[in-house]
Amino acid sequence: MMPLPTSPSSSPRLLRSSSSEWHAVVQRNVRSSLLLLLVLSTIFVFSVLYSSHGFGVGTTADQALTQRQSTHHGAIDRFVPGQEEADEPIAVPAENNEASEQNLASDISLPSANTSTAPAVPASSRSDQRAAHVEQKCDMSMGKWVREPRGPVYTNLTCPTLPDFKNCQKYGKDPGHLFWRWQPDGCDLPRFAPERFLDVARGKTLAFIGDSLARNQMESLLCLVSQAETPTDVYRDAFDKFRTWHFPEHNFTLMAMWTEFYAHAVPVLGADGKPTPSFDIHLDRLNANWTARLPGLDYAVISGGNWFFRVNYLWEDGRRIGCVNCREPGLTDLGIVYAVRRVVRAALEAVAGCRDCKDGLVTFLRTYTPDHFEHGSWFSGGYCNRTRPLEESEISLASIGWELRRVQSQEVTRVRETTGKTTSFELLDVTKAMMLRADGHPGGHYDKRWVRNASDCLHWCLPGPVDMWNGMLLQRLAHISPQPLL
Protein backbone atom coordinates (compact mmCIF):
# COMPACT_ATOMS: atom_id res chain seq x y z
CA MET A 1 0.00 0.00 0.00
CA MET A 2 1.32 3.40 -0.93
CA PRO A 3 1.78 5.87 1.90
CA LEU A 4 -0.80 8.60 2.18
CA PRO A 5 0.39 12.08 1.22
CA THR A 6 1.37 14.21 4.13
CA SER A 7 -1.02 16.95 5.05
CA PRO A 8 0.34 20.45 4.43
CA SER A 9 -0.80 21.44 7.87
CA SER A 10 1.45 18.82 9.37
CA SER A 11 4.63 19.88 7.51
CA PRO A 12 6.51 23.09 8.56
CA ARG A 13 8.81 22.82 5.55
CA LEU A 14 5.89 22.78 3.20
CA LEU A 15 4.43 25.80 4.98
CA ARG A 16 7.66 27.72 4.53
CA SER A 17 7.84 26.67 0.87
CA SER A 18 4.24 27.71 0.13
CA SER A 19 4.76 31.04 1.88
CA SER A 20 7.85 31.81 -0.19
CA GLU A 21 6.08 30.94 -3.41
CA TRP A 22 3.11 33.10 -2.39
CA HIS A 23 5.35 36.11 -1.70
CA ALA A 24 7.08 35.62 -5.04
CA VAL A 25 3.75 35.57 -6.84
CA VAL A 26 2.63 38.71 -5.01
CA GLN A 27 5.85 40.50 -5.89
CA ARG A 28 5.51 39.55 -9.55
CA ASN A 29 1.90 40.76 -9.60
CA VAL A 30 2.85 44.06 -7.94
CA ARG A 31 5.65 44.62 -10.46
CA SER A 32 3.27 43.80 -13.33
CA SER A 33 0.63 46.18 -11.97
CA LEU A 34 3.15 48.97 -11.57
CA LEU A 35 4.42 48.40 -15.09
CA LEU A 36 0.86 48.42 -16.46
CA LEU A 37 0.08 51.61 -14.51
CA LEU A 38 3.22 53.25 -15.93
CA VAL A 39 2.23 52.31 -19.49
CA LEU A 40 -1.31 53.60 -19.04
CA SER A 41 -0.04 56.85 -17.51
CA THR A 42 2.32 57.36 -20.44
CA ILE A 43 -0.49 56.78 -22.93
CA PHE A 44 -2.73 59.24 -21.08
CA VAL A 45 -0.05 61.96 -21.04
CA PHE A 46 0.60 61.57 -24.76
CA SER A 47 -3.14 61.66 -25.55
CA VAL A 48 -3.55 64.92 -23.60
CA LEU A 49 -0.58 66.48 -25.34
CA TYR A 50 -1.88 65.42 -28.73
CA SER A 51 -5.43 66.67 -28.13
CA SER A 52 -4.18 70.09 -26.99
CA HIS A 53 -1.72 70.49 -29.83
CA GLY A 54 -4.16 72.57 -31.88
CA PHE A 55 -4.77 75.22 -29.17
CA GLY A 56 -3.73 78.67 -30.24
CA VAL A 57 -3.14 77.67 -33.84
CA GLY A 58 -4.14 80.52 -36.13
CA THR A 59 -3.86 81.54 -39.72
CA THR A 60 -1.39 84.28 -40.52
CA ALA A 61 -2.46 87.34 -42.46
CA ASP A 62 0.32 87.09 -45.02
CA GLN A 63 -0.98 83.94 -46.70
CA ALA A 64 -1.25 83.93 -50.47
CA LEU A 65 -4.63 85.11 -51.69
CA THR A 66 -6.73 84.81 -54.79
CA GLN A 67 -10.21 86.06 -53.92
CA ARG A 68 -11.44 88.96 -56.05
CA GLN A 69 -13.21 91.88 -54.38
CA SER A 70 -16.10 93.27 -56.38
CA THR A 71 -16.47 97.03 -56.79
CA HIS A 72 -20.20 96.84 -57.46
CA HIS A 73 -21.54 96.96 -53.92
CA GLY A 74 -23.36 100.11 -54.88
CA ALA A 75 -26.15 98.01 -56.32
CA ILE A 76 -27.22 96.52 -53.02
CA ASP A 77 -29.91 99.10 -52.36
CA ARG A 78 -31.38 98.53 -55.81
CA PHE A 79 -32.10 94.87 -55.14
CA VAL A 80 -35.37 95.56 -53.35
CA PRO A 81 -39.03 95.26 -54.33
CA GLY A 82 -40.28 97.84 -56.77
CA GLN A 83 -36.92 98.68 -58.30
CA GLU A 84 -36.80 96.27 -61.21
CA GLU A 85 -34.32 97.40 -63.83
CA ALA A 86 -35.34 95.42 -66.88
CA ASP A 87 -38.00 93.01 -68.03
CA GLU A 88 -35.71 90.31 -69.37
CA PRO A 89 -35.37 87.08 -67.39
CA ILE A 90 -32.09 86.62 -65.57
CA ALA A 91 -29.49 84.64 -67.46
CA VAL A 92 -28.89 81.07 -66.33
CA PRO A 93 -25.31 80.88 -64.98
CA ALA A 94 -22.85 78.52 -66.60
CA GLU A 95 -22.03 75.33 -64.76
CA ASN A 96 -19.33 75.68 -62.13
CA ASN A 97 -16.11 73.83 -62.90
CA GLU A 98 -15.96 72.62 -59.32
CA ALA A 99 -17.46 69.16 -58.95
CA SER A 100 -20.76 69.22 -57.12
CA GLU A 101 -20.81 67.44 -53.79
CA GLN A 102 -23.41 64.81 -53.03
CA ASN A 103 -26.62 66.26 -51.65
CA LEU A 104 -26.59 65.90 -47.87
CA ALA A 105 -30.29 66.49 -47.30
CA SER A 106 -31.33 62.92 -48.08
CA ASP A 107 -29.86 61.51 -44.86
CA ILE A 108 -30.61 64.46 -42.60
CA SER A 109 -33.75 64.89 -40.52
CA LEU A 110 -34.96 68.48 -40.35
CA PRO A 111 -37.87 69.84 -38.30
CA SER A 112 -41.26 68.84 -39.66
CA ALA A 113 -42.89 71.17 -42.15
CA ASN A 114 -46.16 70.69 -40.30
CA THR A 115 -44.94 72.16 -37.02
CA SER A 116 -44.55 75.80 -36.11
CA THR A 117 -41.78 75.27 -33.61
CA ALA A 118 -38.43 73.55 -33.64
CA PRO A 119 -37.72 70.46 -31.52
CA ALA A 120 -37.23 71.39 -27.89
CA VAL A 121 -33.64 71.83 -26.72
CA PRO A 122 -33.04 70.71 -23.11
CA ALA A 123 -32.13 73.67 -20.92
CA SER A 124 -29.30 71.71 -19.36
CA SER A 125 -27.79 70.54 -22.66
CA ARG A 126 -24.06 70.32 -23.03
CA SER A 127 -24.08 73.25 -25.45
CA ASP A 128 -25.67 75.45 -22.78
CA GLN A 129 -23.15 74.29 -20.20
CA ARG A 130 -20.23 75.12 -22.48
CA ALA A 131 -21.77 78.41 -23.54
CA ALA A 132 -21.64 79.76 -19.99
CA HIS A 133 -17.91 79.10 -19.74
CA VAL A 134 -16.51 80.26 -23.07
CA GLU A 135 -13.18 81.84 -22.21
CA GLN A 136 -12.56 85.38 -23.38
CA LYS A 137 -9.13 84.40 -24.70
CA CYS A 138 -10.71 81.97 -27.17
CA ASP A 139 -10.31 83.44 -30.67
CA MET A 140 -13.44 82.45 -32.58
CA SER A 141 -12.37 84.38 -35.69
CA MET A 142 -9.94 81.72 -36.95
CA GLY A 143 -11.04 78.23 -37.81
CA LYS A 144 -12.68 76.16 -40.52
CA TRP A 145 -16.10 75.00 -41.66
CA VAL A 146 -16.84 71.37 -40.79
CA ARG A 147 -19.76 69.07 -41.46
CA GLU A 148 -22.91 69.51 -39.38
CA PRO A 149 -25.23 66.58 -40.09
CA ARG A 150 -27.98 67.98 -37.84
CA GLY A 151 -28.53 70.90 -40.16
CA PRO A 152 -29.65 74.37 -38.98
CA VAL A 153 -31.47 75.32 -35.78
CA TYR A 154 -34.48 76.39 -37.88
CA THR A 155 -35.70 75.97 -41.45
CA ASN A 156 -37.46 78.22 -43.91
CA LEU A 157 -40.67 76.50 -42.77
CA THR A 158 -40.20 77.07 -39.03
CA CYS A 159 -39.26 80.77 -39.10
CA PRO A 160 -42.40 82.94 -39.07
CA THR A 161 -40.52 86.16 -39.96
CA LEU A 162 -38.29 84.94 -42.80
CA PRO A 163 -38.33 87.41 -45.75
CA ASP A 164 -38.77 86.06 -49.27
CA PHE A 165 -35.50 87.58 -50.47
CA LYS A 166 -33.55 85.35 -48.08
CA ASN A 167 -35.78 82.28 -48.44
CA CYS A 168 -33.43 80.45 -50.79
CA GLN A 169 -34.89 76.96 -50.26
CA LYS A 170 -38.33 78.19 -51.30
CA TYR A 171 -36.86 79.16 -54.67
CA GLY A 172 -34.85 76.03 -55.34
CA LYS A 173 -31.36 76.56 -53.89
CA ASP A 174 -29.38 73.38 -53.25
CA PRO A 175 -29.62 72.66 -49.49
CA GLY A 176 -25.99 71.54 -49.18
CA HIS A 177 -24.95 74.88 -47.71
CA LEU A 178 -27.07 74.19 -44.62
CA PHE A 179 -24.96 71.34 -43.27
CA TRP A 180 -21.82 73.11 -42.12
CA ARG A 181 -20.77 74.72 -38.85
CA TRP A 182 -17.89 77.00 -37.93
CA GLN A 183 -15.22 75.26 -35.85
CA PRO A 184 -12.77 77.76 -34.29
CA ASP A 185 -9.14 76.75 -33.84
CA GLY A 186 -8.50 75.53 -30.31
CA CYS A 187 -11.99 76.07 -28.88
CA ASP A 188 -15.64 75.47 -29.61
CA LEU A 189 -18.60 77.53 -30.84
CA PRO A 190 -21.64 75.80 -29.32
CA ARG A 191 -24.83 75.33 -31.29
CA PHE A 192 -27.13 78.32 -30.91
CA ALA A 193 -29.64 77.81 -28.09
CA PRO A 194 -32.68 80.11 -28.51
CA GLU A 195 -33.81 79.65 -24.90
CA ARG A 196 -30.40 80.57 -23.58
CA PHE A 197 -30.23 83.71 -25.72
CA LEU A 198 -33.57 84.91 -24.36
CA ASP A 199 -32.44 84.19 -20.81
CA VAL A 200 -29.25 86.20 -21.31
CA ALA A 201 -31.08 89.07 -23.05
CA ARG A 202 -34.06 89.16 -20.69
CA GLY A 203 -35.18 92.75 -20.10
CA LYS A 204 -32.63 94.11 -22.61
CA THR A 205 -32.79 96.07 -25.86
CA LEU A 206 -30.46 95.16 -28.73
CA ALA A 207 -30.11 97.07 -32.02
CA PHE A 208 -28.36 96.20 -35.28
CA ILE A 209 -27.04 99.44 -36.78
CA GLY A 210 -25.86 99.51 -40.39
CA ASP A 211 -26.87 98.65 -43.94
CA SER A 212 -28.77 95.71 -45.43
CA LEU A 213 -26.25 93.22 -44.04
CA ALA A 214 -26.97 94.50 -40.54
CA ARG A 215 -30.62 93.88 -41.37
CA ASN A 216 -29.63 90.41 -42.60
CA GLN A 217 -28.16 89.62 -39.18
CA MET A 218 -31.24 90.95 -37.41
CA GLU A 219 -33.46 88.73 -39.58
CA SER A 220 -31.24 85.75 -38.75
CA LEU A 221 -31.54 86.42 -35.01
CA LEU A 222 -35.33 86.75 -35.33
CA CYS A 223 -35.49 83.32 -36.96
CA LEU A 224 -33.21 81.74 -34.37
CA VAL A 225 -34.90 83.17 -31.29
CA SER A 226 -38.42 82.68 -32.63
CA GLN A 227 -37.88 78.94 -32.17
CA ALA A 228 -38.34 79.60 -28.44
CA GLU A 229 -40.80 82.53 -28.47
CA THR A 230 -42.83 84.18 -31.22
CA PRO A 231 -41.97 87.89 -31.52
CA THR A 232 -44.40 90.77 -31.84
CA ASP A 233 -43.92 93.24 -34.70
CA VAL A 234 -43.95 96.59 -32.90
CA TYR A 235 -42.81 99.24 -35.37
CA ARG A 236 -41.63 99.92 -38.90
CA ASP A 237 -41.04 103.26 -40.57
CA ALA A 238 -42.46 104.25 -43.97
CA PHE A 239 -39.38 102.94 -45.81
CA ASP A 240 -38.93 99.80 -43.68
CA LYS A 241 -35.48 101.04 -42.63
CA PHE A 242 -36.18 101.07 -38.90
CA ARG A 243 -37.84 98.05 -37.30
CA THR A 244 -38.68 97.01 -33.76
CA TRP A 245 -39.67 93.55 -32.52
CA HIS A 246 -40.55 92.52 -28.99
CA PHE A 247 -40.47 89.19 -27.15
CA PRO A 248 -42.99 89.81 -24.35
CA GLU A 249 -42.32 86.69 -22.26
CA HIS A 250 -38.70 87.79 -21.79
CA ASN A 251 -39.21 91.55 -22.24
CA PHE A 252 -36.52 91.50 -24.93
CA THR A 253 -36.59 94.18 -27.66
CA LEU A 254 -34.82 93.75 -30.99
CA MET A 255 -34.28 96.65 -33.38
CA ALA A 256 -32.81 97.43 -36.80
CA MET A 257 -31.47 100.93 -37.55
CA TRP A 258 -30.51 101.82 -41.10
CA THR A 259 -27.37 103.80 -41.95
CA GLU A 260 -25.24 103.32 -45.04
CA PHE A 261 -22.12 105.15 -43.85
CA TYR A 262 -22.73 106.07 -40.14
CA ALA A 263 -21.87 109.60 -41.31
CA HIS A 264 -24.31 112.12 -42.74
CA ALA A 265 -24.56 111.47 -46.49
CA VAL A 266 -26.74 112.82 -49.28
CA PRO A 267 -27.14 111.45 -52.82
CA VAL A 268 -25.31 113.28 -55.58
CA LEU A 269 -27.81 114.63 -58.12
CA GLY A 270 -27.32 114.08 -61.84
CA ALA A 271 -27.80 116.55 -64.67
CA ASP A 272 -31.49 115.58 -64.76
CA GLY A 273 -31.88 116.48 -61.10
CA LYS A 274 -32.39 112.85 -60.06
CA PRO A 275 -30.27 111.05 -57.43
CA THR A 276 -27.30 109.04 -58.73
CA PRO A 277 -25.71 106.02 -56.99
CA SER A 278 -22.99 108.33 -55.61
CA PHE A 279 -23.06 110.13 -52.24
CA ASP A 280 -21.51 113.17 -50.62
CA ILE A 281 -20.26 111.81 -47.29
CA HIS A 282 -19.61 114.33 -44.53
CA LEU A 283 -16.88 112.76 -42.44
CA ASP A 284 -17.31 115.26 -39.59
CA ARG A 285 -21.08 114.75 -39.17
CA LEU A 286 -22.79 111.59 -38.05
CA ASN A 287 -26.27 110.54 -39.19
CA ALA A 288 -28.67 111.55 -36.42
CA ASN A 289 -31.22 108.91 -37.46
CA TRP A 290 -29.26 106.29 -35.54
CA THR A 291 -27.28 108.33 -33.01
CA ALA A 292 -30.52 109.82 -31.61
CA ARG A 293 -31.77 106.29 -30.91
CA LEU A 294 -28.74 105.16 -28.89
CA PRO A 295 -30.21 106.08 -25.48
CA GLY A 296 -32.19 103.16 -24.14
CA LEU A 297 -30.02 100.49 -25.77
CA ASP A 298 -28.27 97.82 -23.74
CA TYR A 299 -26.44 96.30 -26.72
CA ALA A 300 -25.58 97.80 -30.13
CA VAL A 301 -24.14 95.85 -33.07
CA ILE A 302 -22.76 98.15 -35.74
CA SER A 303 -21.46 97.02 -39.11
CA GLY A 304 -20.89 98.25 -42.64
CA GLY A 305 -18.38 99.03 -45.36
CA ASN A 306 -20.03 97.76 -48.52
CA TRP A 307 -21.46 101.12 -49.62
CA PHE A 308 -17.97 102.63 -49.81
CA PHE A 309 -17.25 100.67 -52.99
CA ARG A 310 -19.38 103.14 -54.95
CA VAL A 311 -18.06 106.37 -56.43
CA ASN A 312 -18.42 108.64 -53.39
CA TYR A 313 -17.21 112.12 -52.45
CA LEU A 314 -15.74 112.98 -49.07
CA TRP A 315 -16.46 116.26 -47.29
CA GLU A 316 -15.08 117.95 -44.19
CA ASP A 317 -15.60 121.45 -42.76
CA GLY A 318 -18.10 122.14 -45.52
CA ARG A 319 -15.74 121.44 -48.42
CA ARG A 320 -14.95 118.49 -50.63
CA ILE A 321 -11.57 117.01 -49.62
CA GLY A 322 -11.40 113.98 -51.90
CA CYS A 323 -13.26 110.99 -53.22
CA VAL A 324 -13.43 107.21 -53.33
CA ASN A 325 -13.27 105.43 -56.71
CA CYS A 326 -13.91 108.68 -58.61
CA ARG A 327 -10.82 108.98 -60.86
CA GLU A 328 -11.56 112.61 -61.55
CA PRO A 329 -8.80 115.11 -62.47
CA GLY A 330 -7.86 117.43 -59.64
CA LEU A 331 -9.63 115.32 -56.99
CA THR A 332 -7.61 113.02 -54.73
CA ASP A 333 -8.86 109.48 -54.39
CA LEU A 334 -8.36 108.89 -50.67
CA GLY A 335 -9.38 105.25 -50.89
CA ILE A 336 -11.96 103.00 -49.30
CA VAL A 337 -9.78 102.12 -46.31
CA TYR A 338 -9.29 105.78 -45.37
CA ALA A 339 -13.01 106.54 -45.57
CA VAL A 340 -14.03 103.46 -43.59
CA ARG A 341 -11.49 104.21 -40.85
CA ARG A 342 -12.76 107.77 -40.48
CA VAL A 343 -16.44 106.87 -40.15
CA VAL A 344 -15.83 103.85 -37.89
CA ARG A 345 -13.71 106.00 -35.58
CA ALA A 346 -16.38 108.71 -35.50
CA ALA A 347 -19.14 106.18 -34.80
CA LEU A 348 -17.29 104.50 -31.94
CA GLU A 349 -16.33 107.84 -30.41
CA ALA A 350 -19.96 108.98 -30.60
CA VAL A 351 -21.09 105.89 -28.73
CA ALA A 352 -18.34 106.31 -26.15
CA GLY A 353 -19.31 109.96 -25.61
CA CYS A 354 -23.07 109.42 -25.50
CA ARG A 355 -24.20 111.24 -22.35
CA ASP A 356 -27.77 109.94 -22.36
CA CYS A 357 -26.82 106.31 -22.99
CA LYS A 358 -26.91 103.63 -20.32
CA ASP A 359 -23.73 103.17 -18.31
CA GLY A 360 -23.67 99.49 -19.20
CA LEU A 361 -24.12 99.90 -22.96
CA VAL A 362 -21.97 97.35 -24.81
CA THR A 363 -21.21 98.01 -28.48
CA PHE A 364 -20.15 95.24 -30.86
CA LEU A 365 -18.50 95.98 -34.19
CA ARG A 366 -19.16 93.19 -36.69
CA THR A 367 -16.32 93.03 -39.20
CA TYR A 368 -16.60 93.33 -42.97
CA THR A 369 -17.92 90.48 -45.11
CA PRO A 370 -17.22 90.27 -48.88
CA ASP A 371 -19.38 89.33 -51.83
CA HIS A 372 -18.67 86.26 -53.99
CA PHE A 373 -19.65 87.36 -57.50
CA GLU A 374 -18.03 85.38 -60.31
CA HIS A 375 -17.82 86.52 -63.94
CA GLY A 376 -19.87 89.66 -63.45
CA SER A 377 -21.87 91.51 -60.86
CA TRP A 378 -25.47 92.21 -59.83
CA PHE A 379 -26.93 93.05 -63.24
CA SER A 380 -24.14 91.88 -65.55
CA GLY A 381 -24.42 88.10 -65.38
CA GLY A 382 -22.46 87.56 -62.17
CA TYR A 383 -23.29 84.43 -60.21
CA CYS A 384 -22.40 82.46 -57.08
CA ASN A 385 -23.39 78.85 -57.63
CA ARG A 386 -20.82 77.09 -55.45
CA THR A 387 -22.19 74.13 -53.50
CA ARG A 388 -19.69 73.92 -50.64
CA PRO A 389 -17.35 76.25 -48.70
CA LEU A 390 -14.16 77.40 -50.39
CA GLU A 391 -10.78 76.01 -49.46
CA GLU A 392 -8.30 78.29 -47.68
CA SER A 393 -6.15 78.35 -50.80
CA GLU A 394 -9.06 79.98 -52.66
CA ILE A 395 -9.28 83.08 -50.46
CA SER A 396 -6.91 85.98 -49.87
CA LEU A 397 -5.99 87.43 -46.52
CA ALA A 398 -4.32 90.28 -48.40
CA SER A 399 -7.51 91.51 -50.08
CA ILE A 400 -9.29 94.81 -49.49
CA GLY A 401 -11.83 92.94 -47.39
CA TRP A 402 -9.12 91.73 -45.01
CA GLU A 403 -7.69 95.25 -44.87
CA LEU A 404 -11.09 96.65 -43.87
CA ARG A 405 -11.32 94.00 -41.18
CA ARG A 406 -7.90 95.10 -39.88
CA VAL A 407 -8.99 98.76 -39.75
CA GLN A 408 -12.18 97.88 -37.87
CA SER A 409 -10.25 95.81 -35.35
CA GLN A 410 -7.71 98.61 -34.82
CA GLU A 411 -10.45 101.17 -34.20
CA VAL A 412 -12.09 98.99 -31.54
CA THR A 413 -8.70 98.68 -29.81
CA ARG A 414 -8.18 102.42 -30.10
CA VAL A 415 -11.52 103.42 -28.53
CA ARG A 416 -10.90 100.99 -25.67
CA GLU A 417 -7.51 102.53 -24.97
CA THR A 418 -8.52 106.18 -25.35
CA THR A 419 -11.67 105.91 -23.26
CA GLY A 420 -10.62 103.24 -20.81
CA LYS A 421 -13.91 101.44 -21.49
CA THR A 422 -12.35 98.07 -22.18
CA THR A 423 -15.56 96.16 -21.45
CA SER A 424 -17.84 98.47 -23.44
CA PHE A 425 -16.56 97.63 -26.94
CA GLU A 426 -16.39 94.17 -28.47
CA LEU A 427 -15.40 92.78 -31.88
CA LEU A 428 -17.45 90.19 -33.78
CA ASP A 429 -14.75 89.07 -36.18
CA VAL A 430 -16.49 87.04 -38.90
CA THR A 431 -14.45 88.10 -41.94
CA LYS A 432 -12.39 84.99 -42.55
CA ALA A 433 -15.30 82.64 -41.88
CA MET A 434 -17.46 84.44 -44.43
CA MET A 435 -14.72 84.72 -47.03
CA LEU A 436 -14.97 80.93 -47.25
CA ARG A 437 -18.76 80.77 -47.73
CA ALA A 438 -19.25 81.49 -51.42
CA ASP A 439 -22.03 78.89 -51.31
CA GLY A 440 -24.26 80.76 -48.86
CA HIS A 441 -25.76 83.57 -51.00
CA PRO A 442 -29.18 83.67 -52.69
CA GLY A 443 -27.71 84.12 -56.18
CA GLY A 444 -30.71 83.78 -58.46
CA HIS A 445 -32.86 81.92 -55.94
CA TYR A 446 -35.48 84.52 -55.08
CA ASP A 447 -38.93 85.66 -56.19
CA LYS A 448 -38.47 86.92 -59.78
CA ARG A 449 -41.65 88.98 -59.58
CA TRP A 450 -39.59 91.70 -57.90
CA VAL A 451 -36.30 91.68 -59.82
CA ARG A 452 -35.72 89.48 -62.87
CA ASN A 453 -32.24 90.28 -64.10
CA ALA A 454 -30.17 90.32 -60.94
CA SER A 455 -28.05 87.94 -58.91
CA ASP A 456 -27.50 88.48 -55.19
CA CYS A 457 -24.05 87.27 -54.15
CA LEU A 458 -23.70 89.70 -51.25
CA HIS A 459 -26.53 88.94 -48.80
CA TRP A 460 -26.95 85.59 -47.06
CA CYS A 461 -29.62 82.89 -47.25
CA LEU A 462 -31.75 82.13 -44.19
CA PRO A 463 -31.02 79.72 -42.72
CA GLY A 464 -27.37 79.87 -43.67
CA PRO A 465 -23.83 80.90 -42.70
CA VAL A 466 -25.05 84.26 -41.36
CA ASP A 467 -26.54 82.42 -38.38
CA MET A 468 -22.98 81.88 -37.15
CA TRP A 469 -22.67 85.64 -36.49
CA ASN A 470 -25.39 85.36 -33.88
CA GLY A 471 -23.77 82.26 -32.43
CA MET A 472 -20.69 84.40 -31.77
CA LEU A 473 -22.87 87.18 -30.40
CA LEU A 474 -24.55 84.80 -27.95
CA GLN A 475 -21.19 83.60 -26.62
CA ARG A 476 -20.00 87.15 -25.99
CA LEU A 477 -23.29 88.13 -24.35
CA ALA A 478 -23.15 85.02 -22.16
CA HIS A 479 -19.64 86.03 -21.10
CA ILE A 480 -20.71 89.60 -20.33
CA SER A 481 -23.94 88.62 -18.53
CA PRO A 482 -23.52 85.00 -17.43
CA GLN A 483 -26.61 83.16 -16.29
CA PRO A 484 -26.69 80.42 -13.62
CA LEU A 485 -26.45 76.92 -15.02
CA LEU A 486 -29.51 74.71 -14.61
Side-chain angles (χ1 to χ4, degrees):
M1 178 181 292
M2 294 182 63
L4 294 172
T6 305
S7 170
S9 61
S10 63
S11 174
R13 189 173 67 179
L14 283 175
L15 282 172
R16 289 194 298 272
S17 174
S18 298
S19 176
S20 298
E21 291 175 358
W22 171 253
H23 285 300
V25 169
V26 169
Q27 290 175 355
R28 285 197 300 272
N29 288 340
V30 169
R31 286 196 298 270
S32 299
S33 299
L34 290 174
L35 180 60
L36 178 60
L37 180 61
L38 178 62
V39 171
L40 292 175
S41 300
T42 303
I43 293 173
F44 175 76
V45 170
F46 274 105
S47 67
V48 170
L49 290 174
Y50 180 80
S51 65
S52 62
H53 179 70
F55 277 65
V57 177
T59 305
T60 58
D62 57 353
Q63 288 178 304
L65 244 19
T66 59
Q67 183 179 0
R68 175 195 58 80
Q69 173 64 52
S70 170
T71 59
H72 296 278
H73 293 284
I76 62 176
D77 64 321
R78 297 154 69 189
F79 194 65
V80 294
Q83 294 185 349
E84 183 172 339
E85 288 226 338
D87 203 33
E88 299 83 21
I90 190 167
V92 178
E95 284 295 322
N96 196 319
N97 292 329
E98 179 178 281
S100 297
E101 186 140 325
Q102 183 178 0
N103 189 338
L104 299 176
S106 58
D107 58 352
I108 303 298
S109 297
L110 293 178
S112 170
N114 298 322
T115 60
S116 59
T117 58
V121 179
S124 59
S125 67
R126 291 184 179 179
S127 295
D128 287 353
Q129 300 290 325
R130 290 196 303 270
H133 297 288
V134 173
E135 296 183 5
Q136 188 170 5
K137 66 181 181 181
C138 174
D139 182 4
M140 292 185 287
S141 67
M142 296 297 168
K144 61 183 177 181
W145 291 94
V146 298
R147 296 286 191 181
E148 176 47 83
R150 291 176 295 179
V153 173
Y154 64 97
T155 75
N156 64 318
L157 299 175
T158 65
C159 174
T161 60
L162 198 157
D164 252 19
F165 268 88
K166 313 300 187 328
N167 194 345
C168 304
Q169 270 59 62
K170 180 178 179 180
Y171 296 100
K173 184 175 175 67
D174 184 283
H177 70 285
L178 299 175
F179 302 99
W180 299 87
R181 65 177 176 85
W182 180 245
Q183 177 60 62
D185 294 331
C187 57
D188 192 24
L189 179 59
R191 186 174 175 85
F192 189 95
E195 297 87 351
R196 177 160 181 77
F197 185 94
L198 286 172
D199 285 340
V200 170
R202 184 183 296 273
K204 306 292 186 181
T205 298
L206 184 154
F208 291 98
I209 303 170
D211 56 23
S212 54
L213 286 172
R215 178 67 170 265
N216 207 167
Q217 185 174 3
M218 187 272 290
E219 293 164 343
S220 164
L221 186 59
L222 269 177
C223 284
L224 288 163
V225 181
S226 68
Q227 305 308 294
E229 181 185 347
T230 301
T232 301
D233 192 349
V234 175
Y235 170 79
R236 74 171 72 193
D237 71 342
F239 301 99
D240 200 26
K241 300 294 187 180
F242 291 82
R243 294 296 304 271
T244 302
W245 298 81
H246 188 242
F247 293 80
E249 293 178 19
H250 295 80
N251 191 26
F252 169 58
T253 301
L254 180 60
M255 306 174 72
M257 301 181 186
W258 178 273
T259 177
E260 302 94 337
F261 306 101
Y262 311 140
H264 175 71
V266 293
V268 175
L269 301 181
D272 57 359
K274 296 181 180 180
T276 69
S278 299
F279 281 80
D280 285 325
I281 305 172
H282 295 263
L283 299 176
D284 53 354
R285 294 173 55 194
L286 288 178
N287 187 333
N289 286 337
W290 69 272
T291 55
R293 290 174 164 88
L294 285 174
L297 298 183
D298 297 286
Y299 307 117
V301 182
I302 66 175
S303 58
N306 299 88
W307 284 65
F308 288 90
F309 286 83
R310 297 168 176 242
V311 175
N312 290 312
Y313 300 92
L314 306 181
W315 290 69
E316 194 167 15
D317 295 327
R319 63 184 182 88
R320 183 182 285 184
I321 63 170
C323 67
V324 175
N325 294 324
C326 68
R327 299 176 184 175
E328 295 183 14
L331 197 57
T332 303
D333 189 335
L334 296 174
I336 296 171
V337 173
Y338 171 85
V340 168
R341 184 186 293 278
R342 286 290 306 273
V343 299
V344 168
R345 179 174 298 181
L348 294 178
E349 288 179 347
V351 175
C354 178
R355 296 181 179 180
D356 297 326
C357 290
K358 293 184 178 181
D359 292 337
L361 172 62
V362 179
T363 300
F364 298 85
L365 192 151
R366 195 262 299 156
T367 60
Y368 177 82
T369 61
D371 68 49
H372 291 93
F373 285 100
E374 296 184 60
H375 304 290
S377 188
W378 289 83
F379 302 98
S380 60
Y383 57 85
C384 43
N385 59 0
R386 304 281 182 141
T387 57
R388 57 168 297 157
L390 299 175
E391 300 292 336
E392 286 222 21
S393 60
E394 297 179 271
I395 69 169
S396 172
L397 300 186
S399 65
I400 182 66
W402 194 255
E403 180 68 7
L404 293 179
R405 174 257 184 197
R406 183 182 66 85
V407 164
Q408 292 168 325
S409 177
Q410 288 175 344
E411 290 305 315
V412 169
T413 300
R414 179 183 181 276
V415 74
R416 283 174 167 177
E417 293 175 348
T418 56
T419 64
K421 299 181 178 180
T422 57
T423 60
S424 298
F425 295 93
E426 297 270 346
L427 194 71
L428 290 181
D429 189 351
V430 302
T431 301
K432 183 192 173 187
M434 306 314 287
M435 281 182 166
L436 295 166
R437 292 311 304 268
D439 60 324
H441 302 287
H445 299 285
Y446 61 87
D447 190 343
K448 298 300 193 299
R449 290 179 299 174
W450 299 114
V451 181
R452 296 186 182 181
N453 66 332
S455 183
D456 184 355
C457 300
L458 174 66
H459 300 101
W460 302 94
C461 294
L462 296 175
V466 64
D467 297 325
M468 181 272 285
W469 306 359
N470 291 314
M472 280 191 178
L473 177 62
L474 171 54
Q475 302 321 306
R476 298 310 309 140
L477 292 178
H479 180 85
I480 293 167
S481 305
Q483 301 294 304
L485 296 178
L486 299 178

